[in-house]
Structures are given as structure tokens and as C-alpha cells.
Amino acid sequence: MLNDREVKLPQDLPSGTQIRYKIGASEIYIETHREVWTPSEFTINMCKLLDSENLKNKVVMDFACGSGILGILAAKKGAKSVIFSDINQRALDMTKRNWKLNNLPMRRMKTIRSDCYEYFHQIDRRLKVDVIVSNPPTAPENLTTKRQKKLAAQWNENGEDARKVTDALIKESGDFLNENGILLFVTTNKQGPIRTSKLLNKHFGKGLQKNNQVDPLDYMDTDNGKYNWKVIKRLRLLLDEWYFPFIEKYKNIAILRNEPSPILRNEEGELIQLLYFIKANKY
């Protein structure tokens, strides 16, 4: 058993490694698998934000669930039930395993294999939940692995422009949220902040954004006032070497879509990325 602070390179851990995460008052146990994304710094920060929400008796969807850590935290925070959705069957299998590892009752969870919201539109269009939470994949599709994905890193690919899952979250989550429901997700500067803000404005209503900046999402606002959407947390992290092969593709996408440069460096000259944690409300 490892504590999360002992884990430096989570995707390099062998299958079957158990990790203990401390999120607020909750302890969560996750077992790794080489075909499932192990919670990273993105995910842990999402957990901390989710921990601050009132989830008592709420119905929660963990969208693109991976290991299931977000939905498991929701259950420990008092969610009435949790729906886990992912296209990767191995992720759903490990989510069930991790749910049991945390001694949660099976009657409060459901797993659904779906490519974004495809299953729900075709089979369960009447579904409504109170909260949708997601740490979606952030890399462009690699054509050599598009047809057959085996490793966790390959499941972190998100369409040819790195936006397939993110766009589905913004465009379609409102179809499955109850009134006053919320969408909580993370995105990055690598995926195009201008497009993200425009889609949020279109599908959730005009939100809080910095119109006088090159990057409309490069801010953070923690005020609890009423709003359609806003960035509630922003982080600057070193760009993991795993993303280096995609740099030219990120640059080309940004040029094509007239987005800010996705290539940023800190004072030491190291490549960094901006993370935007966004909360959108359905009124």
C-alpha cells in the first residue's frame, strides 16, 4: 500500500498496486491497472474541488471515469448514487473493483460503457443527474493507436484535436442535468481556451471571463455568487514529458483555430501548462 504523496510517476506503477489517497476527511483506496489512468495531479485537484461541494443525497455522474476516484469520493461525501461512464471497459471493471475496495454498497453504483454520451442519447435519454464531474483526457489522437488501445496513456487521447470528450461535456451535459445541476471539469490551455469559453457561453449562458486577455480562461474566481459558469481554480504545472511528442500538433491546432500559443515556459525555461477547473450551472 502506497500513500499518494509517495507516488511520483503514477502511470509507471505495476498493475495491482494499491494507493491510499487522503481527500479532506475521506480516505480512498485505488488499485492500479496498466490499461487504466491512475489518478494524477489533475485528478487530485479535481477531488479537492469536489470535496468542497454539498453532495448529500445527490445523483452524481463520473464521466470518463477512469479509476473511478471522483465518483467514489462523491459516494463517501453522501451522494445517493453514482453513475460511472467510460469507453474503456477495463476502466469500468477497475471502477467496480475500487468501489468494493472502499467498502461501498453496490446498490449505490452503476457502470455504463459509452463513447461520450452516445449510450445515454440512444438508450437512456430520460436520465437526469444532479452533478456531472469529469477529468477528461487531454491529448490528441495518435493514429497508430486509434484502432486498438491497450495502455492507460493511450486512453488519455481525446480525438484528433484533443477536444472530443471536452466538447461533449460542454455541449451535451445540459441534456442530462436536473435544474440547478452542476458540471465540474478540468481543461487546459493546450486544448484551446477561446473555443472552450465560446462553447460554454453558447450552452450554459454567458459566464465570467476575461475579455481583455489573450486567454479568456486565465483567471480564478472563488466568489459564491450566482453565475452560469466560471473558472474556480487555476494551476500552472510543469508539462509532463509524456506530452512532448504532441507539442507540434498542439501548436498546429492553435494556429488553425487562432488560439493562444499552447507552448508556455516558466522563468527557468521549463515547459508548463495551465489547468482551468470550471464549474457550470444549469439554471
Side-chain angles (χ1 to χ4, degrees):
M1 176 74 68
L2 297 175
N3 290 316
D4 59 328
R5 293 181 181 179
E6 299 173 316
V7 178
K8 303 302 181 185
L9 299 170
Q11 309 316 318
D12 291 342
L13 292 172
S15 297
T17 303
Q18 291 189 0
I19 309 172
R20 178 174 55 212
Y21 297 88
K22 179 70 172 175
I23 309 293
S26 302
E27 282 194 347
I28 300 176
Y29 300 90
I30 296 294
E31 183 175 315
T32 64
H33 193 284
R34 66 190 299 272
E35 295 178 32
V36 179
W37 193 258
T38 301
S40 62
E41 195 165 357
F42 284 43
T43 321
I44 302 310
N45 278 283
M46 276 295 302
C47 284
K48 292 176 181 177
L49 290 179
L50 188 63
D51 188 58
S52 67
E53 295 289 332
N54 177 13
L55 301 174
K56 189 73 173 177
N57 295 321
K58 300 289 180 68
V59 178
V60 177
M61 179 185 291
D62 186 347
F63 185 88
C65 64
S67 68
I69 189 172
L70 292 170
I72 290 169
L73 174 62
K76 293 202 169 193
K77 291 280 294 178
K80 179 181 179 180
S81 62
V82 183
I83 299 166
F84 296 91
S85 172
D86 205 293
I87 193 174
N88 179 2
Q89 183 60 49
R90 183 71 71 184
L92 298 175
D93 294 342
M94 292 306 297
T95 289
K96 287 182 180 178
R97 189 175 181 89
N98 289 327
W99 184 271
K100 293 177 182 177
L101 188 61
N102 285 274
N103 297 314
L104 294 165
M106 296 303 294
R107 67 179 182 277
R108 291 172 57 199
M109 71 96 74
K110 182 179 182 179
T111 59
I112 295 175
R113 188 177 186 184
S114 180
D115 186 356
C116 294
Y117 283 111
E118 185 176 286
Y119 169 92
F120 302 97
H121 283 300
Q122 294 179 358
I123 308 296
D124 201 1
R125 294 179 61 89
R126 299 173 66 181
L127 173 75
K128 296 292 182 181
V129 302
D130 302 302
V131 179
I132 297 174
V133 61
S134 185
N135 173 28
T138 57
E141 197 79 57
N142 184 337
L143 296 180
T144 61
T145 60
K146 188 171 183 179
R147 293 186 178 180
Q148 187 174 18
K149 298 182 178 181
K150 289 295 185 182
L151 300 176
Q154 293 165 352
W155 289 104
N156 194 38
E157 295 172 2
N158 186 4
E160 293 184 7
D161 59 357
R163 293 200 57 105
K164 179 181 178 180
V165 182
T166 302
D167 285 358
L169 274 169
I170 299 172
K171 293 178 180 179
E172 302 171 50
S173 289
D175 295 340
F176 303 102
L177 281 172
N178 285 317
E179 290 300 313
N180 298 312
I182 65 170
L183 167 64
L184 190 63
F185 71 103
V186 59
T187 186
T188 76
N189 69 304
K190 305 188 303 294
Q191 296 162 281
I194 293 176
R195 177 172 171 80
T196 297
S197 63
K198 286 181 177 179
L199 284 176
L200 283 163
N201 283 338
K202 179 178 180 179
H203 294 278
F204 283 89
K206 187 170 178 58
L208 179 62
Q209 58 195 94
K210 302 301 182 182
N211 294 321
N212 296 325
Q213 295 183 175
V214 174
D215 181 343
L217 300 182
D218 191 12
Y219 72 93
M220 181 174 72
D221 187 284
T222 57
D223 180 70
N224 291 323
K226 188 173 181 178
Y227 54 89
N228 293 314
W229 66 268
K230 67 179 178 180
V231 179
I232 58 174
K233 185 173 183 177
R234 177 194 56 193
L235 288 178
R236 292 173 178 260
L237 298 179
L238 290 176
L239 185 65
D240 192 289
E241 291 184 5
W242 182 82
Y243 288 104
F244 288 4
F246 300 103
I247 285 177
E248 288 304 313
K249 194 161 190 177
Y250 284 129
K251 290 168 63 176
N252 291 337
I253 292 170
I255 292 170
L256 182 65
R257 292 191 167 172
N258 198 28
E259 292 278 359
S261 173
I263 308 305
L264 303 174
R265 295 183 183 272
N266 59 19
E267 293 180 355
E268 290 74 31
E270 299 167 304
L271 288 170
I272 62 171
Q273 59 183 327
L274 301 182
L275 275 60
Y276 317 110
F277 298 83
I278 295 173
K279 184 176 182 180
N281 297 277
K282 181 179 178 180
Y283 295 122

